[in-house]
Amino acid sequence: MDNTADHTPARVDSVLIEELVRILGADGVVSDADAIERVTRTCLPFHALASVVVYPATAQQVQSVVKVALAANVPIWPVSTGKNFGYGEKTAVYDAGITMVLERMNRILHVDEQLGYAVIEPGVTYKRLNDHLKQTGSRLWADTAGTTQHASVMGNALDKGRGLTPMADHFGCLCGMDVVLPDGSLLETGGGPTGNNAVRHTYKWGVGPYLDGLFAQSNLGIVVKAGIWLMPAPEKFDFAAFEYKAPPEKLGAFIDDLRELVMARAIRAHPHLANDFAMMCILAQYPYDKLGGRRHLSDEAAAAWRQQHGVARWTFGCGLYGSSEEVRYQKRMIRKVLGRYGLVQFIGAAVRDDWYGRLIRAVAPVVNRWLGKSPEFTDVMVPAIDLFRGIPTDEFVRQAYFKSHQKKPDSDVDPARDGCGLVWIGPVVPFTSGHVMKALSVTKQIFDKHEFDFFVEVIVESARSVILLVGVFYDKRDAAESARALAWYHEAREAYVDHGYPPYRATSMSMASALDSNPQAKAFVASLKQAVDPHNLIAPGRYGTPLR
């Protein structure tokens, strides 16, 4: 149905390989089958194997590769760093062809301190950008996703990924792009004069149709440079930690009150409300000893495991930003409203470098033990707070090892390389108790049917919508469990679409059919593709466009 790897593009022959080596050098081309397999491993229950992987270092090299691929009629699947674990990584939707990895294009070309933006290439990672800002003494913060610190800033934004600070809308923060088109030419978006547009990174809309949007979740070109808006460090920062303690029947009322806090800008961050299983994935390894012959935990076993670590049924953290007066308002409103549903603590001081911050970090383990929490709960406190300050971490992507390995690695984290099984889906749901509770109920039924443990985070996308980030961790070495994960994904995706909650992004398993539920939109996008890329050179099958 969604598995599209049976489409095989034109063969990559030795003549094309020689041309690619001439353009990129021998170290910029990988054609050995074993090496290609290692590069394109995925956490998904799905795989497609490229014929060759290329690593351009400049926009000019991208243009040259596009031109020789066009002459040979061999498609290109471009990725930035390919660290979108659980969505497809570097795997195309088809076998064969050229996979283009842009990680060597990693220059930070400009940071504008006055206007608050940077100009970057697709290989710039969250770590690289954050390090640059800190090392240069910048007043600016860069939002980061909760994934690995080595993910691409631009790649995540172009796939409409999300962050946590007030600048969490990553695509919304992109402004002004350089794009290599399918004929090898270079397009400057922004609507102004080529090479002389002073506002291309400060004014999103330009003159005429808005072009940047054509290259989000798209295969109309390869973005090789873009502006990204940054956030001035606030005068005051604090962090609210919330644990839901109220009865389950009050969760709907809590959701509505949470929305009103966001509407009133008493919450300016974009927190993830994690259920108990999602928290446990971070804190522990899977308790196979508690299964009792089942394929997922019973309610009783899950409750005992949760209590062992002192985890609430629902938990979230939230950054507070602004002047001292604004932060006081945010704290007052959060305490007043959310205090009706559970425990609220303000622990932002834990990341301060002064004596008080050191004191908080010293006493936190004692306080957490008194509250019945495990030492692991304290260990994630500082990385969690730092995410809301734009400081990336690998702490939370380590959860991908939760079920398929005996322990999580302390460093060198790469779930795809290491054979972790993980697949995400994120339906967008209106931010009301009626819709959220309905979507949670639908989700729980599908998890139970396929005998997986219920993992969900309710992500505040805006004051009007949330994203239900739903995921399955599975053992890729177990063919039966991989098949169950695939079946779970297909059923969940169809159910969300049927209920009017479309996923905000697709995996490589579902990209080719991403627009099937809207035939007119699919036909319109196909007509754009035919006009811009008549040879279907760039990423056939990406986000609803034809494979052939």
Side-chain angles (χ1 to χ4, degrees):
M1 180 174 54
D2 289 330
N3 192 322
T4 54
D6 57 349
H7 171 66
T8 303
R11 185 170 60 89
V12 175
D13 58 23
S14 60
V15 174
L16 179 54
I17 296 289
E18 290 172 3
E19 278 288 287
L20 294 172
V21 170
R22 180 185 61 79
I23 295 167
L24 304 174
D27 64 342
V29 179
V30 176
S31 56
D32 174 74
D34 289 340
I36 291 171
E37 186 279 327
R38 289 192 296 272
V39 168
T40 59
R41 284 178 187 170
T42 175
C43 295
L44 302 177
F46 167 91
H47 193 217
L49 196 65
S51 299
V52 61
V53 180
V54 298
Y55 293 85
T58 66
Q60 292 73 25
Q61 288 185 344
V62 173
Q63 291 178 276
S64 296
V65 171
V66 166
K67 290 174 182 176
V68 300
L70 179 60
N73 192 30
V74 175
I76 299 169
W77 186 266
V79 299
S80 296
T81 61
K83 302 293 187 181
N84 55 338
F85 301 122
Y87 288 105
E89 297 83 22
K90 299 181 182 74
T91 298
V93 304
Y94 49 78
D95 280 307
I98 299 168
T99 290
M100 177 183 284
V101 183
L102 301 172
E103 63 185 34
R104 293 186 179 182
M105 298 179 63
N106 59 6
R107 293 182 300 165
I108 299 169
L109 299 164
H110 176 63
V111 174
D112 193 303
E113 288 289 329
Q114 289 180 298
L115 296 173
Y117 70 88
V119 181
I120 60 173
E121 293 182 328
V124 173
T125 65
Y126 291 114
K127 175 175 170 46
R128 185 174 179 84
L129 182 54
N130 178 70
D131 287 351
H132 177 83
L133 295 173
K134 297 296 185 286
Q135 291 163 6
T136 58
S138 174
R139 71 184 184 115
L140 302 172
W141 290 0
D143 191 90
T144 182
T147 183
T148 172
Q149 59 186 323
H150 302 294
S152 164
V153 175
M154 189 189 302
N156 181 271
L158 289 172
D159 212 20
K160 302 178 185 176
R162 308 291 304 176
L164 297 149
T165 76
M167 308 293 279
D169 180 359
H170 289 170
F171 179 71
C173 290
L174 286 186
C175 186
M177 302 175 179
D178 282 5
V179 186
V180 175
L181 297 177
D183 64 358
S185 61
L186 189 70
L187 167 70
E188 282 188 14
T189 70
T194 301
N196 187 31
N197 183 357
V199 296
R200 66 181 305 230
H201 300 308
T202 63
Y203 177 58
K204 290 183 69 70
W205 312 119
V207 177
Y210 174 59
L211 298 184
D212 284 15
L214 291 174
F215 302 102
Q217 294 186 346
S218 159
N219 56 4
L220 300 178
I222 302 170
V223 183
V224 293
K225 184 172 75 173
I228 181 85
W229 290 347
L230 306 174
M231 172 183 169
E235 173 189 315
K236 180 79 172 177
F237 171 83
D238 210 329
F239 184 83
F242 171 78
E243 296 176 79
Y244 184 87
K245 304 288 189 180
E249 59 268 21
K250 290 190 175 292
L251 184 62
F254 164 76
I255 293 295
D256 285 331
D257 279 344
L258 180 62
R259 180 193 65 244
E260 292 306 306
L261 285 174
V262 178
M263 278 276 190
R265 289 186 55 75
I267 291 180
R268 301 180 182 183
H270 294 260
H272 294 207
L273 177 65
N275 77 339
D276 50 0
F277 187 78
M279 283 296 296
M280 293 304 301
C281 294
I282 296 168
L283 300 178
Q285 292 301 103
Y286 194 77
Y288 284 100
D289 60 315
K290 290 181 167 59
L291 284 175
R294 295 163 55 95
R295 293 201 285 196
H296 67 311
L297 297 170
S298 66
D299 290 343
E300 295 75 19
W305 187 42
R306 180 178 68 243
Q307 290 166 9
Q308 177 184 340
H309 286 267
V311 170
R313 288 191 176 274
W314 295 93
T315 305
F316 80 78
C318 176
L320 313 181
Y321 311 87
S323 66
S324 296
E325 293 80 7
E326 288 173 311
V327 170
R328 278 198 295 272
Y329 160 73
Q330 293 166 51
K331 292 173 72 171
R332 176 171 58 83
M333 292 299 294
I334 289 170
R335 187 183 290 113
K336 174 184 175 182
V337 175
L338 298 188
R340 298 197 293 262
Y341 299 98
L343 177 65
V344 178
Q345 296 175 285
F346 297 103
I347 58 173
V351 295
R352 283 167 43 177
D353 292 329
D354 58 11
W355 68 269
Y356 188 62
R358 291 191 290 273
L359 177 64
I360 293 294
R361 291 192 292 275
V363 302
V366 178
V367 173
N368 278 337
R369 290 305 295 158
W370 180 74
L371 292 172
K373 302 185 185 305
S374 67
E376 290 83 3
F377 205 101
T378 304
D379 291 343
V380 302
M381 178 178 69
V382 170
I385 297 171
D386 277 345
L387 281 176
F388 285 86
R389 301 195 299 155
I391 300 174
T393 178
D394 282 344
E395 180 64 40
F396 301 103
V397 75
R398 293 167 66 242
Q399 68 184 321
Y401 294 78
F402 156 80
K403 196 170 185 180
S404 54
H405 290 65
Q406 290 187 342
K407 67 183 296 289
K408 300 179 178 77
D410 295 324
S411 60
D412 190 24
V413 180
D414 191 326
R417 177 200 63 199
D418 295 338
C420 299
L422 166 63
V423 56
W424 296 117
I425 186 168
V428 184
V429 178
F431 200 165
T432 68
S433 58
H435 281 290
V436 172
M437 297 305 290
K438 174 184 173 183
L440 287 173
S441 176
V442 168
T443 300
K444 181 66 163 60
Q445 292 171 26
I446 296 170
F447 270 93
D448 288 346
K449 175 180 176 180
H450 294 278
E451 298 180 274
F452 283 110
D453 300 285
F454 183 34
F455 179 111
V456 63
E457 295 181 2
V458 181
I459 301 175
V460 175
E461 190 276 333
S462 70
R464 295 164 182 83
S465 295
V466 296
I467 296 169
L468 260 61
L469 182 64
V470 178
V472 156
F473 299 90
Y474 67 98
D475 189 344
K476 280 181 73 76
R477 298 165 298 184
D478 185 331
E481 189 159 294
S482 296
R484 276 197 298 128
L486 184 63
W488 168 88
Y489 177 80
H490 288 326
E491 180 162 348
R493 180 171 168 270
E494 290 177 5
Y496 293 136
V497 171
D498 288 346
H499 283 89
Y501 307 140
Y504 82 107
R505 65 198 288 189
T507 70
S508 296
M509 299 186 296
S510 61
M511 279 188 182
S513 53
L515 297 179
D516 283 1
S517 61
N518 190 333
Q520 192 60 48
K522 183 172 184 175
F524 180 71
V525 171
S527 69
L528 292 177
K529 178 68 170 173
Q530 177 62 29
V532 174
D533 187 5
H535 299 282
N536 209 9
L537 181 77
I538 307 297
R542 180 173 280 175
Y543 281 100
T545 55
L547 271 167
R548 301 180 187 276

